[in-house]
Structure formats: C-alpha cells, structure tokens
Amino acid sequence: ADPMSDAGGSIAHMGTVASLADLARLCVDLGAEDAGNLSQDEVSLIPKRPSPLGSDALRRLRQTIVRGGDPLGDAYCRIVTPADRRPLGQTYTPSPIIAAMTSWASAQGSPDRIVDPGAGSGRYLLAAAKKFPKASVTAAEVDPIAALMLRANVAVNKLQNRVTVRLGDYRALDLPEADGPTLFIGNPPYVRHHQIETGWKQWLLDTAKARGFKASALAGLHVHFFLATAELAKPGDFGAFITGSEWLDVNYGSLVRQLLLDGLGGESIHVLDPTAAPFADAQTTGAITCFKVGAVPTSMKLRRVDKVSDLGNLSKGRKVSRQRLAESSRWSVLTRITPKLPQGYVELGELCRVHRGAVTGANAIWVQRRGVVELPDSVLFPSVTKAHELFSAGAYLVTPDGLRVVIDLPTDLDVLSGDDRKKVDRFISLAKGKKVNEGYVAAARRAWWSVGLREPAPLLATYMARRPPTFVRNDVGARHINIAHGLYPREELDLTVLDRLGEYLRGAVTLNEGRTYAGGLTKFEPKEMERIAVPNVELLTAGAS
C-alpha cells in the first residue's frame, strides 16, 4: 500500500475523526506541543473534549506515521473539500513524486538546511529530513490546522530537535546564515491572483523590479514563491518544486522563466500529464522544476512524463539551449519531442494558420443581441461568442440565427455619414459613460472603439473545455471572439478538402494534446493546435473524392 494512504486499511478507524476539532485534538494527543511552542491561532483550534481515538488506535496511528504514512493529511483531505482548500492553495502530493524529488536532491550533495515553503502536514519535510539526517529543517505554513498536523508528525518521528515550524507567510520568512547549502523543496500553494492581497502583489512587482525583472500582478502564488526563494537563497543552494505548469507559457509566468535563466539556475523541468495525478485532488498538468542557485545554465533539460513511474531520479530530459529558452515565450511546446509523422501527414500549421479571436475588453458593451442597440447593420457582425455555439453546430455552422453580434466600429468614423454617424456617436457616448475607453484592452487599441475582428475563418475551433476541441466549417461567414480559434488556410482549399480536414480533426484530436489546468479544463494554444498531425492536401483530396 502507498504509505501516504491509509496503509492498506490498518487505520480505517480514522473515519471517526470527522471534524477539524477532532483532528486538532488528535494532533495534540500525538505530541504536537512537543514540536515547538504553539501559536495562539493553533491553541484556539484545540477543543477541550477527549481524544476521538483510544490508546490502541493512537499506537497504530503512530506506527503508520513512522512508516512514512500521512493519515493526518489524509483525514484533513476527507474533512475539507478541495473547493474549501482552494483559497489557501492546498494540494497534497503523492509519495512517488516526493521520492523522485528527494532522490534528485540527494544526488546534488548533502544540504546543511532544508526549507519547505508551504509545508502542509509535512510530506516533503519528513521525507527530506529522513533523507538528510544531519540537516536542520525550517517549515513555513500559514494554516494553523496544517501547522498542528505538521508538529504532530514531527513529534511522532522524533524530529523536534531538528525542525522549526514558522506559522506565517513564506514571503516574509527570514533565514539566518547557514554553514552549508540549503535545499528548498516542496509544493508551493496554488492560489490565483484574485485571492492575493494587494500588498503582496506590490511586493512581487517591487522585488522583481529590484532584480531587473518585470512581473505581473496577475501572477499566481507559486510565482511569488519562486521569487521569494530567489531572495532567500545564495549561490550553492539548490531546490525542487512541483507546481501547476501554466507558468511555462502564460505572460505572468515570464518572471519564473527569467529567474531560472538568471539567478535560480534552472537545471531541468519535468511536465507531468494530469493522468499521472501529480496532485492528489486536482486534475492539473504539473511541472517539477529543479534548480541550482547561482548557476548560469547553457541549457536546461525538458521532458514530458506520462506516468509517475517514469520520473526516475529526474536526470533525464532533452537539452534545450539557453538561447532558445530565452527567445521563446512558451516553454511547454519545447517539452514535446516532435513525433515522426506518418507518410503523407504534415502538421496542421503547414496547411493553416491558427488565430485566436479578438478580445473585446468589455463583452457587455461590444457583444449584443441584434435589435438591442440601435446601430447600422454595417457595424454589426454575427459572431461565435460562446463555445457551446460550436459544440452544438455539429460539422457545419449553417445559420446565424441564435448568434449574437459583435459591434465593430471603423477606426475612422468619418467613413460614416448621416443617421449612421449619429447612431454610432450616441453609442460611443454611452460606452464612454461606462468608462469602457479606460479599460486595459480598449486603451491599447489604435482606436478604443474599434474591436478589430478578424475576417471570417473557414474553420472554427473550440480550444478550452473538458472535452476535445470541435472543428466546425463556417458556412455563414461568422466572426469569432477569443473563445474560439480560427483556422485560415495558407493556400486556398476547396470545400471538400476543408470538410475532410474538419472531419479528421474532430475524430483524431484528443485531450492529451493540450494542457490541463486546475479544474480539469484542457486548453490548446494556437501554436499547439498548429502542431497537430493531419493528412496533407493530397490525402485529404483523395479521401474526399
């Protein structure tokens, strides 16, 4: 049995621990108070009632913990739903991944100190402490109940003389000088920017700027933790973190990419397919990042891993040059080894350019039902504005009925005259009254009132869902906004070839070819979609005849 689980049912009685109060009481019964002075926040969680388990059950529980299990963390995950854990970014890592990361660390040498930036119940901390028996350990954790679980696990393993638990934010951690190298290891919490305080967002911007880097306030908490690590670490330190993989590609992840090339010393990145379950309760593409602080890598090893059993000691991967990494804004594509294409097949990008639709910046203004606003037909464009419009269309979009219109005004309003100009002026005044012109997207446009829709794409595709994308022939010349991609042939393709191409793509493309985010959504960026293997024009023509 996986030691991180209930050890083959030997502690099935943990089901009697049914509340956080029960769990807090149990942590004290296991010796949490022996692992450092409890904070007031931790003490306030402990009920006065007796332990929920008897002495024999406690004895077996201690045995499971000593063998490497985490019954306290398992109980916490049963009591608190994934949705309720999301605000603190609490995800628990399976033991095989922890073993691979600590094995990599052991190949780098023996650290003098271990730091776990978001320790939770202590899975990484305990594994690393046992791997490096002479190292001191510092654990940062913001959740009092998690800190109690951590202290209990530390006490049961008799590590209290080596472990310091800091109840507080990792970004505020102060580390004294260590005689030797420090190992930073763990699973930084996954929290989206909406739930990060304004003060910490400003800390990210200011701290990055002081290092000569540009940061984004849209960055998730794991980006903050990479930067905090760069601030705490010194040359010779090393580390391994597992996070969601979005930072490999999104704009706000550029700070992590810069840090790995300049300061953190990126060594390797291992992208785990969501079917490998890198996180116990989140269907997310994970990324294990290994780094050696102060190194200036001439290359980094990148690879994709379908199964946890394939991780090994994290020494594998395809070397990608520093220059190519520095030039690329999307690193996940670099983790994929281009497969040998079957005879007669090409990448979709050889046949079509793939473009995401326009971003309006304010759909409530620019996307309307026909007849709701009084504007000339020349500025109203039937458009695909929701993914379900393509999913429900089947192979062909044959009618604009049901589609909303996007208001796309010309950049030069002087081309309008008479009543048309008056109607448009009234609409612009209305939009300005709602401060649409001050929005980030509108302010960046050549003319804030002009959305700039692309020409109709012969094929339209969904690109983000919990199901494979669909590909629909656009028989009505509908436009599309940024909920869809448009496929634009590089050379003119007749309708039968387009039909055959759409039919092939609908049947051949799977979720495995995209990137999966928290919540199970799978996304295909335009360049990723262009790498899909498809029959060439000759095969499509022959197949359609």
Side-chain angles (χ1 to χ4, degrees):
D2 183 344
M4 289 298 184
S5 69
D6 280 353
S10 66
I11 55 168
H13 51 267
M14 280 289 284
T16 63
V17 179
S19 67
L20 292 181
D22 285 344
L23 189 58
R25 176 73 258 173
L26 183 59
C27 290
V28 173
D29 295 334
L30 290 170
E33 292 173 305
D34 296 333
N37 295 326
L38 302 187
S39 67
Q40 189 57 46
D41 287 339
E42 292 170 273
V43 171
S44 67
L45 295 173
I46 304 168
K48 301 298 183 183
R49 60 177 179 264
S51 174
L53 301 183
S55 59
D56 185 58
L58 283 172
R59 178 182 58 80
R60 287 188 287 158
L61 195 59
R62 286 189 174 94
Q63 290 174 345
T64 301
I65 293 171
V66 170
R67 289 198 300 266
D70 184 22
L72 299 178
D74 290 338
Y76 180 77
C77 290
R78 287 195 296 269
I79 295 166
V80 185
T81 67
D84 288 336
R85 279 182 268 126
R86 197 165 294 138
L88 290 179
Q90 294 171 318
T91 57
Y92 282 71
T93 314
S95 56
I97 292 176
I98 297 171
M101 292 168 66
T102 54
S103 292
W104 174 85
S106 68
Q108 313 313 310
S110 296
D112 184 65
R113 175 175 56 195
I114 299 163
V115 174
D116 187 336
S121 59
R123 294 186 176 187
Y124 278 97
L125 180 153
L126 296 170
K130 292 176 181 178
K131 180 76 74 172
F132 304 105
K134 295 182 179 180
S136 65
V137 184
T138 299
E141 177 53 55
V142 296
D143 182 16
I145 188 67
L148 279 174
M149 292 190 293
L150 172 59
R151 292 183 194 275
N153 282 327
V154 166
V156 170
N157 282 281
K158 302 185 185 307
L159 295 170
Q160 52 265 48
N161 292 333
R162 295 172 52 201
V163 176
T164 301
V165 178
R166 305 278 185 87
L167 184 64
D169 197 297
Y170 176 61
R171 292 166 292 186
L173 186 65
D174 181 30
L175 288 177
E177 286 289 328
D179 293 334
T182 296
L183 165 63
F184 296 85
I185 191 166
N187 176 0
Y190 182 92
V191 177
R192 292 188 181 278
H193 76 92
H194 313 82
Q195 295 170 303
I196 297 175
E197 295 175 2
T198 301
W200 280 120
K201 290 186 176 184
Q202 192 61 49
W203 170 88
L204 181 79
L205 301 178
D206 293 344
T207 306
K209 184 177 180 180
R211 298 181 71 92
F213 297 143
K214 184 178 180 180
S216 167
L218 302 181
L221 189 58
H222 53 294
V223 174
H224 291 231
F225 274 41
F226 272 105
L227 181 58
T229 301
E231 288 289 291
L232 290 168
K234 65 181 187 302
D237 294 347
F238 54 101
F241 288 160
I242 182 170
T243 65
S245 65
E246 295 102 302
W247 63 265
L248 290 167
D249 297 323
V250 295
N251 290 336
Y252 73 67
S254 65
L255 176 58
V256 180
R257 300 193 294 269
Q258 292 174 73
L259 286 169
L260 292 174
L261 292 174
D262 187 4
L264 274 183
E267 175 80 5
S268 61
I269 300 171
H270 312 264
V271 178
L272 292 98
D273 188 272
T275 59
F279 306 105
D281 43 28
Q283 186 76 3
T284 304
T285 303
I288 297 173
T289 305
C290 301
F291 52 92
K292 297 179 180 178
V293 180
V296 181
T298 57
S299 65
M300 289 174 59
K301 290 183 178 180
L302 274 62
R303 66 168 173 155
R304 285 187 171 260
V305 181
D306 294 328
K307 298 180 295 184
V308 171
S309 58
D310 293 338
L311 276 173
N313 62 3
L314 305 183
S315 63
K316 300 177 182 178
R318 179 172 66 98
K319 285 187 177 182
V320 179
S321 70
R322 176 189 178 89
Q323 180 180 3
R324 190 172 180 194
L325 290 165
E327 292 174 350
S328 177
S329 62
R330 301 187 187 279
W331 284 10
S332 70
V333 176
L334 302 176
T335 68
R336 293 178 174 170
I337 298 175
T338 304
K340 184 177 181 180
L341 296 172
Q343 183 68 31
Y345 279 64
V346 296
E347 291 188 349
L348 176 61
E350 296 289 319
L351 301 184
C352 300
R353 296 182 179 89
V354 178
H355 292 295
R356 184 182 285 115
V359 179
T360 72
N363 282 0
I365 297 296
W366 305 111
V367 181
Q368 301 287 344
R369 291 287 179 191
R370 189 180 289 275
V372 172
V373 291
E374 188 179 1
L375 285 169
D377 286 343
S378 62
V379 301
L380 303 178
F381 296 87
S383 302
V384 172
T385 59
K386 292 184 178 295
H388 78 79
E389 293 166 351
L390 293 179
F391 282 122
S392 62
Y396 304 95
L397 188 63
V398 295
T399 175
D401 295 347
L403 295 181
R404 292 182 291 179
V405 295
V406 173
I407 299 162
D408 194 12
L409 306 176
T411 55
D412 181 5
L413 297 176
D414 288 339
V415 300
L416 302 170
S417 58
D419 287 344
D420 286 355
R421 178 61 185 263
K422 291 178 182 178
K423 292 175 182 178
V424 168
D425 285 343
R426 283 197 297 270
F427 176 80
I428 287 178
S429 295
L430 173 68
K432 200 168 185 179
K434 295 182 180 293
K435 298 186 177 181
V436 174
N437 58 308
E438 298 177 14
Y440 175 81
V441 173
R445 292 197 283 245
R446 179 182 171 191
W448 70 263
W449 57 78
S450 184
V451 170
L453 291 172
R454 291 186 179 275
E455 290 298 310
L459 283 173
L460 295 169
T462 58
Y463 70 86
M464 192 166 188
R466 291 180 176 85
R467 55 192 280 191
T470 191
F471 297 81
V472 180
R473 215 197 55 213
N474 183 10
D475 277 0
V476 295
R479 308 300 176 96
H480 66 291
I481 62 172
N482 64 322
I483 57 84
H485 290 335
L487 277 61
Y488 295 86
R490 294 182 182 275
E491 298 180 3
E492 186 174 354
L493 302 177
D494 64 41
L495 294 183
T496 53
V497 170
L498 282 173
D499 286 345
R500 184 67 176 174
L501 178 60
E503 179 184 1
Y504 175 82
L505 289 167
R506 284 190 297 275
V509 180
T510 68
L511 288 176
N512 292 335
E513 294 171 89
R515 283 181 291 118
T516 303
Y517 290 81
L521 286 172
T522 297
K523 184 178 183 181
F524 288 76
E525 295 289 353
K527 294 300 180 186
E528 291 172 330
M529 194 168 277
E530 286 185 2
R531 297 199 65 182
I532 295 170
V534 297
N536 63 21
V537 173
E538 290 74 20
L539 284 181
L540 290 170
T541 302
S545 60

